[in-house]
Amino acid sequence: MPERADKQPSAGNDALTAGCLLLLVLVADAAAGFLVLLLLSVRGLGRMDACAGQPPGCAPPTDWAPLLCFGALALAVGVTGVLLLRLGPRFIGAVQLVLCIVLAGHALRSWP
């Protein structure tokens, strides 16, 4: 039996799709954030003995890793937000862009 071409999806189906999309995006962002946290933690452990054998006033070398990690995470979240604004539910895209702005601000605060 052929389906009608002008049949509109129900409102409940749209809400379910938007909810699943939001959950998928949040899980992906949480996984990327965990990866950044893990990378920065491991780098921090490696820098604990950066001045070993040096005079007590030595300053550790400049670390660009936090800026690069948070900047890359902000870029990924921003691109996802723009794509969601263009293709999907606008609310989820707007939330992603706000999160992108927060991450970009955190990246700029970690400027060496």
Side-chain angles (χ1 to χ4, degrees), residues 81-105:
V82 168
L83 286 176
L84 287 172
L85 276 177
R86 304 268 309 176
L87 302 175
R90 295 193 187 280
F91 176 73
I92 300 171
V95 169
Q96 286 289 106
L97 289 179
V98 168
L99 185 60
C100 172
I101 291 170
V102 168
L103 285 170

Side-chain angles (χ1 to χ4, degrees), residues 2 6-7 24 39 47 53 59 68 75-77 80 82 97 105:
D6 60 345
K7 185 177 176 184
L24 182 67
L39 177 72
R47 289 176 47 92
L68 294 176
L75 180 66
V77 169
T80 306
V82 168
L97 289 179

Side-chain angles (χ1 to χ4, degrees), residues 17 20 22-23 25 29 36 57 60 74 78 91-94 101 109-111:
T17 303
C20 289
L22 176 62
L23 183 65
V25 168
D29 287 344
V36 166
F91 176 73
I92 300 171
I101 291 170
R109 271 190 307 216
S110 65
W111 190 277

